[in-house]
Amino acid sequence: GAFLLDLMLRICLARWLKSLSTGVTAVIVCRCLPRVKPGTYARCSISAVVAEFKIDVFEGVQKAMASSPFLSYWLYAMGVEVYPLVGNLEFGRMNDILPDAFAIAAGNSSGANSIGHSLDITQEAVVIRQTTLTEGCFVGNNAFVPPGVYQKDLMLGVATNPAQGSYGLYDDTSKRPLTVFGNPPVQIPRVVETAHKAQPTFLHFVFRIVFVELARGAARIPYYMV
């Protein structure tokens, strides 16, 4: 028992150090490089090159810290606008997102391998657009998230491409919950409103550390015993 516990703690420590080094490197890179604001830039300009590099760095951090209770703090440190800044942010891996042109509010959840679209690249120019997920947005696995300010309490289903039919996704004046699913997308009636999402408590934060960080270490024990 003592041997397995020691092994699990060593594995967890190695994972934490790896995640820490990844996060620190990403923060230093994103903070030292110039901030790239939404706009149109020449294809070979410094701003375009920096934007593409930051996107790659951002994806690496998401991969290294998937499901981590500390992910939201790392995103904030990299330049993402996170409001309010809380742990337990259920943000999965979203590809093709520039941290300088991305904002995410409380009560959000996104699945794995959803696809943002911060950059439009042509032979002559790079167009960068802002993406903002307001409170209560849910993005399913492999969903496409085009740039824009999304309305509150929005659900994008798995593999949904709302660009083919926006259904008022960017309508800030609308107060109704909205669910869009499918490809091509269709609107699905919401049976229960989910705008009153509960904020995670400190106890939830502790549980997440135990079951995400420690459990991952325990799961790899058989691998090291072979």
Side-chain angles (χ1 to χ4, degrees):
F3 170 75
L4 293 179
L5 179 61
D6 179 70
L7 180 60
M8 182 183 70
L9 293 177
R10 288 175 182 270
I11 296 173
C12 290
L13 179 60
R15 288 191 64 257
W16 288 336
L17 291 176
K18 181 180 179 180
S19 298
L20 181 63
S21 63
T22 301
V24 170
T25 302
V27 170
I28 293 175
V29 168
C30 289
R31 289 299 185 178
C32 290
L33 291 176
R35 188 173 182 85
V36 183
K37 298 180 179 180
T40 302
Y41 301 90
R43 180 67 182 86
C44 296
S45 65
I46 294 178
S47 295
V49 174
V50 168
E52 293 186 52
F53 183 68
K54 283 188 175 183
I55 287 175
D56 292 338
V57 172
F58 189 55
E59 290 181 6
V61 169
Q62 294 179 78
K63 182 179 180 180
M65 300 184 180
S67 301
S68 170
F70 305 106
L71 178 59
S72 60
Y73 302 104
W74 287 109
L75 298 185
Y76 178 79
M78 292 176 64
V80 176
E81 183 181 356
V82 183
Y83 55 99
L85 186 59
V86 295
N88 292 339
L89 179 65
E90 284 286 353
F91 186 76
R93 186 178 179 184
M94 186 175 291
N95 302 312
D96 198 17
I97 285 289
L98 175 65
D100 298 346
F102 184 58
I104 185 169
N108 274 276
S109 178
S110 68
N113 294 321
S114 53
I115 302 172
H117 195 63
S118 293
L119 274 66
D120 274 327
I121 302 176
T122 66
Q123 291 184 348
E124 295 80 19
V126 172
V127 180
I128 300 175
R129 297 185 176 90
Q130 175 74 24
T131 300
T132 301
L133 299 179
T134 54
E135 183 178 358
C137 288
F138 173 85
V139 179
N141 295 345
N142 300 305
F144 180 67
V145 186
V149 179
Y150 288 77
Q151 73 168 59
K152 294 182 179 181
D153 204 17
L154 170 69
M155 297 183 67
L156 292 181
V158 173
T160 296
N161 184 355
Q164 298 181 11
S166 65
Y167 290 106
L169 300 186
Y170 314 126
D171 182 10
D172 288 335
T173 62
S174 175
K175 301 299 181 181
R176 71 190 190 285
L178 185 64
T179 299
V180 178
F181 181 80
N183 196 1
V186 295
Q187 184 175 345
I188 301 176
R190 184 78 63 83
V191 177
V192 179
E193 294 190 7
T194 58
H196 56 281
K197 291 179 171 63
Q199 292 296 327
T201 64
F202 177 75
L203 188 59
H204 291 143
F205 188 79
V206 174
F207 282 169
R208 194 173 184 87
I209 292 176
V210 173
F211 288 107
V212 173
E213 304 295 342
L214 296 182
R216 282 180 175 177
R220 295 186 65 87
I221 288 178
Y223 171 81
Y224 288 97
M225 296 182 65
V226 175

